[in-house]
Amino acid sequence: MKVDIIILSNTIDDSVWLMNSNCIDSLLNSESISLLGSILIIETNANASYNYHPSVKVLKTNLPFNFNRFLNIGIAATNSEFVALCNNDLIFKKNWFSEILKVNQKDPGIKSFSPIDYEYWLTPKERYPDSTDFYLGYNIRTEVAGWCIVAKRHLFCQIGKLDERFDFYYADNDYAMTLYKYNIKHALCVKSHVKHLG
C-alpha cells in the first residue's frame, strides 16, 4: 500500500521554497520509499522556477487559487490507494504513514485519518493520550487536525469531489461535515506524528 502526497504551495520567494523543501525532505526521510507513491506540488505561482528533489512533480496552474479545486486536481493526477492532502508547512515525523496503516489494519472501516501534532495547543498528549492508537471524531483542529489528511482513495467515489465553493476558509469544516453526513469514520492517529509550522 502506498500514499500519494499532494502539497499546495504559492512559492513567491525563497522562504516559501525553503519551507517546501524542508517539508519534502522530512517526508522522504520519514518513511520507506516503498510506501510513498507520487509526490505532487500544486503550484499556484505559475512563474515560480524553483527546483525540488527529483521524485517531486510540480504541477503549475494559471487558475485563481482555490484550495479544494487544487486538491481535486491533485487527487485526479495520482492513483495510489491512499492520498494525503497537505499544506506545505508540514514536517513529517518517522513512520507517520506506517502508523496510519496500523490503524487501518485494526479497523478497515476507517477511511480518513489525521496524524497528530502534540505541540499544537488543541491536541496535547493530556487530551489525546497515546495509551490507545486512535480517536474517532469530526472536530476541526482536533480530530480533523489541520491539512495533513490521509484518505483512502475510494472515499472520493462515495463523497465525490471536494466542494470547490470553499476556495479557502472552511474547507476543512466542509470535509469533516461531509464525512459525518455519509457516516464515514475519521481517526486521529496519535502514534502518527507531524509538525504543523503554522
Side-chain angles (χ1 to χ4, degrees), residues 3-136:
V3 60
D4 293 324
I5 314 295
I6 299 166
I7 300 169
L8 301 189
S9 180
N10 181 22
T11 313
I12 55 172
D13 58 30
D14 290 352
S15 66
V16 179
W17 172 81
L18 182 60
M19 182 168 58
N20 293 348
S21 296
N22 289 338
C23 174
I24 291 161
D25 288 346
S26 71
L27 171 65
L28 293 172
N29 291 321
S30 67
E31 279 294 353
S32 163
I33 198 70
S34 65
L35 294 177
L36 299 178
S38 298
I39 303 170
L40 179 61
I41 294 179
I42 309 292
E43 177 58 69
T44 305
N45 181 4
N47 297 316
S49 58
Y50 293 91
N51 294 316
Y52 296 98
H53 188 278
S55 63
V56 176
K57 179 181 177 184
V58 178
L59 182 61
K60 295 181 183 178
T61 175
N62 288 314
L63 296 169
F65 181 77
N66 180 302
F67 200 88
N68 279 348
R69 179 181 300 133
F70 289 179
L71 289 176
N72 285 332
I73 290 169
I75 293 165
T78 55
N79 60 14
S80 291
E81 184 175 351
F82 290 83
V83 59
L85 310 175
C86 301
N87 277 342
N88 59 339
D89 68 338
L90 293 167
I91 300 297
F92 294 88
K93 305 295 184 169
K94 189 160 184 61
N95 299 324
W96 70 277
F97 182 61
S98 300
E99 292 297 335
I100 286 173
L101 288 178
K102 289 178 185 176
V103 170
N104 177 61
Q105 289 170 350
K106 286 186 176 182
D107 188 342
I110 300 172
K111 296 181 183 178
S112 180
F113 313 82
S114 289
I116 198 165
D117 180 353
Y118 272 133
E119 296 178 44
Y120 182 57
W121 69 279
L122 285 172
T123 53
K125 192 171 274 193
E126 297 76 32
R127 183 174 185 184
Y128 294 103
D130 62 4
S131 52
T132 186
D133 291 333
F134 63 91
Y135 296 86
L136 296 176

Side-chain angles (χ1 to χ4, degrees), residues 161-172:
K161 290 183 176 181
L162 300 172
D163 189 340
E164 296 180 5
R165 291 175 294 177
F166 294 91
D167 57 1
F168 186 68
Y169 293 108
Y170 306 109
D172 49 353

